Every structure is written in structure tokens, then in C-alpha cells.
Amino acid sequence: MQSNQLKKLFTQYKMLALLIAIALIWGFFTWKTEGGFITPRNMSNLMRQMAITGIVACGMSLVIIAGEIDLSVGSLLGLLGGIAAVLDVTHGMSLPINLLIVLGVGLFIGLFNGYLTAYLHIPSFIVGLGGMLAYRGIVLGVTGGVTVAPVSPELVHLGQGYLAPQLGLLLGVVLFGVAVFLTWRQRASRARHGLEQAPIWRDALRLVLIAAVLAGFVTTLNSYEGIPLPVLLLLALLAVFTYMTTQTVFGRRIYAVGSNMEATRLSGINVKAVKLWIFGIMGLMCALAGVINTARLAAGSPSAGMSGELDAIAACFIGGTSMRGGSGTVYGALIGALVMASLDNGMSMLDVDTYWQMIVKGFILTLAVWVDVATRAGKR
């Protein structure tokens, strides 16, 4: 009985537990690196490093919530980044046209994966596995197996540019204003419908914590060169995906499909179309991540995106997305991506052997899935 109560308590405060875990990870690496981990420059690098995994995790969270999986995203990221580099270096394509082509190809491939899964009834695991091999082969063919460089300064700016410090401060103020507005709207809605309100001190404390996090985030990054553009893109995607999953009919249908696909189908919802567009969105996220990765490296590499699918899947599971589908959040997946990036960054600073880094990440992934299984068992 006491064990079940602990499981329910952990489930309720899972996000808080993740934030505490990040604080402990950062504290440990700050101690071991004698403060080097927490410097503004390294925090900027960490956020930029996390952005690519986070972009892919935005799409992957929807796929997993819907009860599917996509193992091809790492290879697809590499392929689309390679296409962007070839169009830029070899064909001298302007940046807007380049982006349109790469996003279009990403959407098409994502819809193709979705069609194979939803309409031809090929398990998504097999579709992803086949795509992982095929797309990696295509990128080797597109790039000729060599690094394509140097890309244009305009493209490089997408991955290496920064938001001006003044605009960064303005962004922080706007984000806090949005948090205050959403809190007020939620309380007003509950009062209008006669529902029980959370204590006002709890909302006030949450806003104080949000203000502290935003102040620390903006101040730290502005102390270096400003907020990296990939991080700005990730924040925009977080807002879009959070709105889509919580405020739209399509978002509710994603959860319904993952919770009980047969009941959802019998209720009249076109399950196949929902899955098709989820994979289409996944393709778009791979296109964005591929372009940002190429811009960050200032080159298209045939090995780009290696193990990217594992990092994205691990980020979703660590962030609380259920491996059985039907539950999870995009912001949780991004917190999971921050955990993975923090471990990568910190262990690299400590010069930990690559094999130990892989062992630690594998252990963290297994632990996250076990926690999901254990907490769900406690609800029965």
C-alpha cells in the first residue's frame, strides 16, 4: 500500500523530479570541472547541442504518444542535412529556396513512412529500421561519402548565430508575461465553471520559479554572446507543439489513438490519417534538425545524425512519454533532451571514455523505461 502511494506521488511530481535530477547533474559536473561546466560559454554550447536532439524529440514525442516508433530519424536527419549542404555548396542555391526544398523532401519522406505504417500496415519499427539503413545509404550517395564544405555564411548563421542581448531580455519578459496570462486564464476558467482552485500561493510560487529560471537563462546566455538561434527555434517549436497537443482537436486525437486505437477508430476518427500526419510532422522536424546540424558544423557530413534516433527516443522516455503510448508531453521530452545533452557535455569535459558514456546513457534509458513501467503498475 505504501509502495503504491509512493508511485502515485512520484507520478504526480515527475517533472519536478526531473528538474531536481538536472540540478544534481549540473552540480556534480560543476564540482568535478571546478566551475567550468557552469560557465556562460559552456552553457551556450550545451543549449546549442541540446537544440538538435530537442527538435527531433518534438516530433518523436508525438510518434510515441500515438503508439508508434521511428528508428529512421537519425539517418533522415543526416540525409536532409546532406541535401542542404549539396544544394548550398554545389548548386549555389539561395537559402530560402534551399530551406523550402529540404523541408519539402522531409515532409514527403515523413508522409511516405506514415503511409507504409498506417495504410500498408507495416509495423513502424520495421519501417524505421528499413529507413535507417536506406537513408544512410542515400546520404552516402548524395555526398559521395565525403564532407561537403564550406557552406555559405547565411546558412552557417542559422546554426551559429545569436539573438542580440537586448532582444534576449525582451524575450524573457514576454515569456514571463505569457506565463502570468496563462495562469490567470486557467484560474478564471476554473472559477467560471465552479471548479476547485489550487491555492494562490502555489501559483505564485510557480511564477516566481519561472521568473528565476528565465532570468538565469537569459542572463547566463547574454553573458556570452546571446541566445543561440537554434535555441530560439526550439522555444518556438515548444510553444507550437504544446498548443497543438493541448488546445487542438488533432492533438487530442493523437492521445486517443495511442490510448486505445480501436475505440478511437470506432468513434469515427480517421486513425490512419492521424498517423500519416504524425509521421509527416516527424519528417519536418528531421529536416529542421538536419539544416541546423549542417549550419552548426558549417559542413554536410555523411556521418551526421549517427545514433540521433536513440538520443531522441531516450529524451522522450526520460521526459515521461510512455512507451505504451497515450501519455506524454513535448516539454517533458525537451527536459529529457536537456538531461541527455548535459550528460554528453559533462562527460566530454571530464574526458570520460566513449564506451563509458554509452554505458551511462544506456543505463539512464533503461531506468527511465523501468520507472514508466513501475508507476503504471502502481495505478492498477
Side-chain angles (χ1 to χ4, degrees):
M1 185 70 176
Q2 187 176 6
S3 175
N4 287 342
Q5 290 176 343
L6 289 174
K7 289 174 182 177
K8 290 179 181 177
L9 186 65
F10 179 82
T11 301
Q12 186 177 0
Y13 295 101
K14 186 179 289 185
M15 287 301 108
L16 178 60
L18 277 174
L19 293 175
I20 292 174
I22 290 174
L24 292 175
I25 291 171
W26 285 15
F28 173 78
F29 285 130
T30 300
W31 168 55
K32 295 298 290 184
T33 59
E34 298 180 349
F37 181 83
I38 205 70
T39 59
R41 178 173 182 172
N42 190 61
M43 284 291 103
S44 180
N45 291 334
L46 171 63
M47 292 299 167
R48 193 194 305 274
Q49 180 182 351
M50 169 249 185
I52 295 173
T53 299
I55 291 171
V56 179
C58 284
M60 184 63 74
S61 62
L62 301 187
V63 173
I64 296 176
I65 289 170
E68 303 292 349
I69 198 74
D70 190 349
L71 297 179
S72 68
V73 294
S75 297
L76 185 54
L77 182 159
L79 170 60
L80 296 169
I83 291 175
V86 170
L87 291 176
D88 182 85
V89 176
T90 306
H91 300 284
M93 198 78 69
S94 66
L95 181 59
I97 301 300
N98 192 339
L99 289 176
L100 284 175
I101 292 174
V102 173
L103 290 173
V105 173
L107 176 61
F108 174 79
I109 294 178
L111 291 173
F112 177 69
N113 288 346
Y115 178 79
L116 294 178
T117 300
Y119 289 89
L120 297 188
H121 307 292
I122 302 174
S124 58
F125 179 86
I126 300 301
V127 172
L129 187 60
M132 180 171 65
L133 299 173
Y135 303 147
R136 183 61 61 186
I138 296 173
V139 72
L140 289 173
V142 168
T143 62
V146 297
T147 299
V148 181
V151 300
S152 65
E154 293 80 9
L155 181 55
V156 170
H157 183 70
L158 291 180
Q160 299 184 12
Y162 296 89
L163 189 67
Q166 296 85 350
L167 293 178
L169 289 172
L170 178 61
L171 176 64
V173 172
V174 170
L175 290 177
F176 180 70
V178 170
V180 171
F181 171 74
L182 292 177
T183 301
W184 170 81
R185 191 178 72 167
Q186 183 184 46
R187 293 189 67 87
S189 176
R190 295 185 69 87
R192 187 167 57 251
H193 293 90
L195 300 175
E196 183 181 357
Q197 294 275 22
I200 193 168
W201 65 263
R202 185 182 297 176
D203 286 337
L205 177 60
R206 184 175 62 179
L207 289 174
V208 168
L209 290 175
I210 290 173
V213 170
L214 286 173
F217 173 77
V218 173
T219 302
T220 300
L221 294 182
N222 279 352
S223 297
Y224 182 53
E225 292 190 42
I227 299 175
L229 292 185
V231 177
L232 188 63
L233 173 61
L234 184 62
L235 291 174
L237 289 174
L238 172 61
V240 171
F241 275 76
T242 300
Y243 178 82
M244 180 178 67
T245 54
T246 60
Q247 304 295 324
T248 68
V249 173
F250 179 71
R252 297 187 190 98
R253 288 178 176 177
I254 294 173
Y255 285 93
V257 169
S259 298
N260 192 325
M261 185 172 64
E262 187 61 20
T264 303
R265 185 184 65 81
L266 292 174
S267 69
I269 294 174
N270 190 337
V271 172
K272 292 180 179 180
V274 172
K275 289 191 175 185
L276 178 71
W277 284 107
I278 288 171
F279 278 95
I281 293 171
M282 184 73 259
L284 279 176
M285 293 305 101
C286 288
L288 285 174
V291 170
I292 295 298
N293 188 61
T294 294
R296 185 174 70 91
L297 300 175
S301 171
S303 63
M306 286 285 192
S307 301
E309 63 281 341
L310 300 182
D311 287 338
I313 292 170
C316 292
F317 288 155
I318 291 171
T321 303
S322 173
M323 61 177 290
R324 294 178 176 85
S327 68
T329 59
V330 175
Y331 65 82
L334 296 191
I335 293 176
L338 182 57
V339 171
M340 296 296 291
S342 299
L343 290 171
D344 276 336
N345 184 280
M347 289 190 290
S348 295
M349 290 188 70
L350 294 177
D351 200 24
V352 176
D353 290 329
T354 303
Y355 69 89
W356 272 115
Q357 294 187 34
M358 297 174 70
I359 290 172
V360 170
K361 289 164 69 175
F363 172 77
I364 295 296
L365 173 59
T366 305
L367 178 64
V369 175
W370 174 78
V371 168
D372 173 57
V373 172
T375 51
R376 280 180 169 264
K379 294 178 182 179
R380 294 173 186 157

